[in-house]
Amino acid sequence: MRLQEIIAKKRDGMELTEAEIGTFVDGIVDGSWADYQISALVMAMFIRGLSQGEQDDLTRAMIYSGKVLDLSDVGRPVVDKHSTGGVGDKTSLIIAPVAAACGLAVPMISGRGLGHTGGTLDKLESIPGFDVNLSTERFKELLSRNGYAMAGQTGEIAPADKKLYALRDATATVPYIPLIVASIMSKKLAEDLDALVLDVKTGTGAFMQNYDDSVRLAEALVRTGTGFGVRTEAVVSDMNQPLGKFVGNALEVYECIKILRGETEPEMMPTLDLSIELTAGMLVLGGVADSPESAKAKINEILDSGAAFEKFRENVEVQGGDVSVCDEPQILVARDLENVPVLSTSAGFIGGIDTAAIGNAICSIGGGRSRAEDVVDHAVGFASLVRVGQEIAVGETLGVIYCRNAGQSDSVGQNLLKAYEISDDPVAQPALVKTIVT
Ligand code: URA
């Protein structure tokens, strides 16, 4: 079958068959199709739409475009968490050890940061020596032995998505729910999961900024997961401000270790609260807790006893990381950085925060990547010290830039200041968890 015939069919608004979608995906992986042909078909899908059946066929073809893990012998319920990405979104580092200490196996296959959003792999690599490049055998061994492992996406899992996502990114075809669902779920469903909890971010730092769109995405993800036999739920969570205190790789790891050590600072509470909410969903879906309430009680016990911290420490050790960061997290806050406060120039209430602007500012001083090949400076970042709704006086500190030199703080200071909208009238604090879709 020639791809131009399939493109023409979708261009004219017709439904594609499973075989045609399979041909498309096979050709992406084996290099039969030119980038312009793939892009043309994706644009036709974007404009003409995909039916539920086409979306499922695309998801299935993408799952089987690579290796599908067999985790049937890890001896625990296999449950993962996936976030659609945000600023200061660091919950994976807390959720994995807590869930593992509660009896689940968590196969965390994560990505790198791109643009304003961070990535778990970059955060982990700010721990000296931490190795995210695990072979499938080693990954499975760690899962059985320790309950969790943190690895990078190898080219073997859902390879069609890697190519397709890059082309969608370059052709303005990312924001279409059926394509997003196929992309996210093909990677997750190739992990042989029993259950999956999705954290769908909504707000100024999320790629779905609009609440109704975020709920629609959450519903579509849950429908697909469930349809493929994986118990799935989605938590739609607030991304109208950075999550917790820090943005920036090493600083975010610092925040997580502080939380796991039971030293949570007030600004870090949202990170802990969201981690508990997501982990509770995993325990219930994974069958090791009867209700969200009993799951939360169990999680608090595991945190208070130090068992989750010990699990994290064990993981750092087995993945080659320097465990002294667990005992002295301050090591992660580089001593040679300048700390430059961003001071409010008006009085009132924090009316809104342009969260993507904060992520972009930190990215621009080296904390993230504008292009996939950029090198990251793990140390730089930002502490966001105020929350939406908080009252603020002139001269009060909105946040602190952790940077290499004054040139960097000069280049982003104004953008960070502008990210905080100050209102004369009181503003309601946004709920952290907006809704849960089951
Ligand atoms: N994240 C993904 O992995 N894929 C998308 O299409 C969008 C966000």
Side-chain angles (χ1 to χ4, degrees):
M1 204 179 316
R2 297 185 326 146
L3 193 61
Q4 43 271 60
E5 287 157 17
I6 301 175
I7 298 170
K9 198 170 163 189
K10 185 44 76 182
R11 179 199 64 200
D12 296 339
M14 284 185 265
E15 187 159 354
L16 301 180
T17 64
E18 184 177 1
E20 286 162 343
I21 289 176
T23 301
F24 169 54
V25 172
D26 289 348
I28 294 174
V29 179
D30 69 20
S32 309
W33 313 132
D35 287 359
Y36 50 80
Q37 292 179 298
I38 300 169
S39 303
L41 183 49
V42 168
M43 183 59 86
M45 289 175 168
F46 186 97
I47 292 171
R48 289 298 197 164
L50 289 177
S51 67
Q52 183 66 45
E54 287 176 304
Q55 181 193 298
D56 290 345
D57 290 341
L58 182 61
T59 307
R60 191 174 304 102
M62 285 169 64
I63 295 172
Y64 293 103
S65 68
K67 193 168 176 172
V68 176
L69 295 181
D70 175 5
L71 300 180
S72 53
D73 53 1
V74 298
R76 300 159 174 241
V78 181
V79 185
D80 199 4
K81 185 273 311 182
H82 175 80
S83 161
T84 56
V87 178
D89 178 19
K90 53 190 83 75
T91 61
S92 295
L93 274 67
I94 296 170
I95 289 171
V98 174
C102 291
L104 299 181
V106 187
M108 278 271 175
I109 298 180
S110 308
R112 297 193 178 278
L114 190 61
H116 72 276
T117 60
T120 301
L121 295 187
D122 297 321
K123 300 183 214 288
L124 290 167
E125 283 178 347
S126 53
I127 301 173
F130 198 103
D131 183 9
V132 295
N133 299 310
L134 303 177
S135 67
T136 306
E137 288 63 37
R138 177 82 174 133
F139 187 69
K140 283 170 72 168
E141 183 196 327
L142 293 184
L143 267 183
S144 308
R145 199 147 48 89
N146 303 345
Y148 86 100
M150 311 288 280
Q153 179 97 33
T154 67
E156 292 172 323
I157 293 201
D161 180 62
K162 192 165 188 217
K163 173 92 183 164
L164 198 56
Y165 190 71
L167 291 174
R168 286 169 56 214
D169 194 35
T171 56
T173 49
V174 170
Y176 178 52
I177 286 178
L179 294 176
I180 298 170
V181 169
S183 167
I184 292 176
M185 296 306 277
S186 62
K187 290 173 285 202
K188 291 290 128 183
L189 296 172
E191 283 179 12
D192 193 17
L193 302 175
D194 294 308
L196 172 66
V197 172
L198 296 143
D199 180 10
V200 177
K201 303 287 189 194
T202 188
T204 57
F207 87 100
M208 277 288 174
Q209 302 215 342
N210 174 283
Y211 176 70
D212 291 341
D213 289 345
S214 306
V215 172
R216 263 195 292 278
L217 174 60
E219 287 168 349
L221 289 165
V222 170
R223 199 165 45 241
T224 300
T226 309
F228 278 80
V230 173
R231 295 187 291 280
T232 307
E233 78 172 30
V235 173
V236 179
S237 76
D238 184 59
M239 190 30 70
N240 284 298
Q241 49 199 334
L243 182 68
K245 181 170 182 181
F246 288 109
V247 179
N249 295 295
L251 292 166
E252 292 187 39
V253 179
Y254 168 81
E255 179 170 336
C256 293
I257 297 177
K258 291 288 278 183
I259 290 171
L260 288 167
R261 287 172 61 90
E263 298 164 3
T264 311
E265 297 170 19
E267 296 94 346
M268 298 175 178
M269 277 311 291
T271 306
L272 175 58
D273 290 343
L274 185 59
S275 301
I276 291 175
E277 188 70 46
L278 294 165
T279 314
M282 293 168 71
L283 299 194
V284 174
L285 292 186
V288 296
D290 300 334
S291 65
E293 294 70 35
S294 67
K296 285 177 191 174
K298 186 164 181 168
I299 292 164
N300 281 314
E301 208 178 288
I302 289 286
L303 282 164
D304 293 346
S305 69
F309 173 65
E310 281 311 318
K311 207 24 105 190
F312 179 83
R313 190 179 216 288
E314 177 185 82
N315 175 257
V316 172
E317 188 163 14
V318 294
Q319 295 206 217
D322 177 359
V323 287
S324 56
V325 299
C326 300
D327 304 319
E328 287 177 73
Q330 196 62 32
I331 297 172
L332 289 160
V333 186
R335 269 195 232 110
D336 55 350
L337 292 180
E338 307 226 359
N339 297 358
V340 182
V342 177
L343 305 177
S344 180
T345 50
S346 35
F349 299 86
I350 305 293
I353 301 177
D354 183 346
T355 311
I358 294 179
N360 283 327
I362 299 315
C363 180
S364 74
I365 60 169
R369 293 187 188 76
S370 307
R371 291 165 309 156
E373 57 275 22
D374 290 348
V375 175
V376 167
D377 180 349
H378 293 99
V380 299
F382 183 65
S384 184
L385 300 181
V386 294
R387 315 284 303 157
V388 172
Q390 191 173 325
E391 194 167 6
I392 187 100
V394 174
E396 216 172 304
T397 306
L398 297 167
V400 178
I401 311 169
Y402 290 70
C403 56
R404 294 282 172 198
N405 51 53
Q408 286 189 333
S409 53
D410 288 349
S411 73
V412 295
Q414 278 306 314
N415 287 347
L416 286 168
L417 180 61
K418 275 194 279 176
Y420 291 83
E421 179 204 320
I422 313 291
S423 149
D424 290 336
D425 302 315
V427 173
Q429 294 181 4
L432 180 60
V433 172
K434 310 273 192 199
T435 187
I436 299 180
V437 176
T438 54

